[in-house]
Amino acid sequence: MPISPPTSVTDGRIVVRRYELSDADALREAVAVSVEHLRPWMAWAADEPAPVTAKEGLITRWFELWDAGDEFVYAVTAADDERTIIGGSGLHPRVGPGGLEIGYWVRVDRVGCGVATAAARLLTTVALSLDGIDRVEIHHDRANLASAAVPRRLGFDFIEEHADEIEAPGEEGIEWVWRTDPDSWAATQAGS
């Protein structure tokens, strides 16, 4: 049975919601101002900044993937301003049956404000409430210390490191894998 996550969740500070076609310009602007910050870690940033028409096409593709149950890509905004994109996140079923991987990026002027941690917290709770999902993972290159801070803060368990293809210039080719499951997540959240 395909999974169907909610299209929007909030913690009162941020909103993690499905992109709308009207977000194309805000997405283009957020990525454009952040491109030098993103380029070392995000392979897709090599093609940025891209025009708004490219963002419209990307959002349309995300609609198709969402509706097919293949990928769930979210905009991250402040709760008091849902028109300005402050980051992106997603639930990606690329870690095998029963698992979802969370990815994230943060607009450069919001780095260090807890945006990625808050988005990952919301999406972990969402993912683990879905039928058939028994684990959530976060993967990142070992050199990306900012990304490592998110699963560490959230109480994910470090599972392994392994060689991985270098896809972006800041990467060293060693992937770190973090994981949580429903019992571990419930215990971690009860203690926070």
Side-chain angles (χ1 to χ4, degrees), residues 31 34-49:
V31 171
S34 305
V35 72
E36 294 310 317
H37 165 71
L38 297 171
R39 195 167 277 137
W41 311 113
M42 303 292 178
W44 54 261
D47 298 325
E48 297 291 347

Side-chain angles (χ1 to χ4, degrees), residues 90-158:
L91 295 172
H92 309 287
R94 56 187 172 216
V95 295
L100 289 171
E101 180 184 345
I102 293 178
Y104 42 80
W105 63 270
V106 176
R107 182 185 171 112
V108 68
D109 57 357
R110 298 303 290 263
V111 169
C113 298
V115 173
T117 301
R121 177 179 283 115
L122 286 166
L123 289 183
T124 300
T125 299
V126 162
L128 292 174
S129 72
L130 298 171
D131 287 341
I133 301 302
D134 60 17
R135 72 189 183 288
V136 173
E137 296 182 5
I138 293 175
H139 296 211
H140 62 85
D141 191 87
R142 178 173 65 185
N144 190 341
L145 300 179
S147 280
V150 172
R152 205 174 268 130
R153 273 190 215 105
L154 294 174
F156 278 54
D157 294 318
F158 180 77

